């Protein structure tokens, strides 16, 4: 089964709104990473948060990690149409990076 | 830097044929990964190399799949014989070793394989 499960599977918002995606996982991790995938393209790394970190920011992105609940969230503030993509969490555990099922985000004008 | 380069970008072949996918990682990266992405199974790690040595091939689905990394700048994923269920997008990614686990991975554009 998947190490990481994203929630929701799909999200549709208006431009300017915030988008929140969640990721739950099952085992202890070294770090957790978030990636974006535009349709027909390869994945692009967004942010990495280590197991001893609780929150990290990068531009309009904010990631939190709660190792006690084995969960992470990705917040995109002031969303833009260009943020439309699939977002994946990936957990570094047991010697490899395992990707979740992804959240499809659609930002409408 | 040109990023991770994969070829071909698209491949259409008939069942039973041999398929070879190619990857050139980012210069200086010491990890190379092969993934397969389908709607049904999502993104699956097939195999990864560290300094050209295969470390974990537990994701390789069957003996029909094989991967090699003869040098630091080139890797191949071969499917022989190919089957329709192998149809997917195959991604290559590379990364640089850092302390504390796997670091960010840089993905290529993928090879879309269709087996008829």
């Amino acid at each position: 089964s998947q190490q990481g499960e994203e929630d929701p599977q799909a999200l549709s918002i208006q431009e300017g709104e915030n988008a929140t995606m969640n990721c739950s996982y099952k085992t202890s991790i070294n770090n957790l990473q978030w990636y974006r995938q535009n349709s027909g393209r390869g994945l692009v790394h967004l942010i990495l948060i280590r197991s001893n970190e609780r929150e990290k920011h990068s531009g309009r992105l904010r990631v939190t990690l709660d190792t006690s609940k084995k969960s992470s969230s990705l917040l995109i503030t002031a969303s833009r149409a260009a943020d439309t993509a699939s977002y994946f969490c990936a957990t570094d555990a047991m010697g490899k990076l395992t990707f979740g099922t992804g959240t499809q985000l659609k930002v409408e004008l | 830097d040109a990023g991770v380069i994969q070829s071909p970008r698209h491949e259409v072949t008939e069942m039973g044929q041999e398929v070879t996918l190619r990857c050139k990682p980012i210069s200086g990266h010491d990890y190379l990964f092969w993934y397969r992405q389908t709607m049904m199974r999502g993104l699956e790690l097939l195999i990864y190399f560290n300094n050209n040595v295969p470390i974990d091939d537990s994701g390789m689905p069957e003996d029909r799949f094989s991967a090699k990394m003869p040098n630091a700048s080139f890797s191949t994923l071969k499917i022989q014989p190919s089957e329709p269920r192998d149809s997917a997008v195959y991604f290559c990614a590379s990364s640089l070793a850092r302390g504390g686990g796997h670091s960010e991975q840089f993905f290529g554009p993928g090879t879309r394989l269709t087996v008829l």
Side-chain angles (χ1 to χ4, degrees):
Chain A
S1 61
Q2 295 283 352
Q3 159 74 324
E5 300 277 350
E6 282 94 336
D7 170 59
Q9 287 188 323
L11 180 61
S12 184
I13 60 174
Q14 297 294 313
E15 196 172 48
E17 294 180 338
N18 295 341
T20 299
M21 288 158 266
N22 302 295
C23 170
S24 60
Y25 57 92
K26 295 174 181 157
T27 66
S28 297
I29 60 173
N30 293 314
N31 66 61
L32 186 144
Q33 304 177 30
W34 285 91
Y35 289 78
R36 183 188 74 225
Q37 184 179 32
N38 289 88
S39 180
R41 302 285 188 93
L43 280 74
V44 174
H45 181 267
L46 295 176
I47 197 164
L48 180 155
I49 186 165
R50 301 196 184 283
S51 59
N52 60 354
E53 297 176 311
R54 292 297 166 258
E55 187 171 312
K56 207 161 182 180
H57 297 253
S58 177
R60 294 184 296 113
L61 306 180
R62 174 180 167 245
V63 169
T64 61
L65 179 65
D66 187 334
T67 53
S68 66
K69 295 181 179 178
K70 292 187 170 57
S71 67
S72 173
S73 68
L74 171 67
L75 168 68
I76 303 174
T77 60
S79 63
R80 305 166 182 168
D83 295 328
T84 295
S86 293
Y87 292 82
F88 295 86
C89 69
T91 49
D92 176 9
M94 297 177 288
K96 56 187 172 185
L97 203 62
T98 304
F99 286 80
T101 51
T103 292
Q104 290 187 17
L105 173 65
K106 183 175 182 180
V107 182
E108 300 185 72
L109 294 170
Chain B
D1 198 325
V4 176
I5 299 172
Q6 290 187 247
S7 65
R9 293 294 308 277
H10 301 273
E11 177 81 29
V12 180
T13 190
E14 293 190 346
M15 183 173 64
Q17 296 297 306
E18 176 180 297
V19 175
T20 299
L21 311 181
R22 297 173 176 79
C23 175
K24 177 179 168 55
I26 292 172
S27 178
H29 282 192
D30 40 18
Y31 282 90
L32 183 138
F33 307 82
W34 282 102
Y35 292 91
R36 176 173 69 177
Q37 187 176 39
T38 61
M39 290 293 291
M40 291 295 295
R41 300 176 68 87
L43 193 65
E44 304 173 280
L45 175 66
L46 299 177
I47 185 171
Y48 77 90
F49 296 82
N50 179 217
N51 292 322
N52 314 338
V53 176
I55 302 300
D56 185 343
D57 65 354
S58 59
M60 296 285 264
E62 304 168 29
D63 291 345
R64 298 184 298 106
F65 285 68
S66 62
K68 294 182 180 179
M69 192 165 186
N71 57 63
S73 59
F74 184 66
S75 177
T76 59
L77 178 68
K78 186 175 293 186
I79 309 172
Q80 165 65 17
S82 58
E83 296 183 3
R85 61 193 166 122
D86 302 330
S87 296
V89 181
Y90 291 81
F91 289 103
C92 176
S94 69
S95 70
L96 195 58
R98 300 187 207 276
H102 286 283
S103 64
E104 63 179 297
Q105 296 183 11
F106 294 81
F107 281 73
T111 295
R112 182 173 295 277
L113 173 65
T114 303
V115 183
L116 303 174

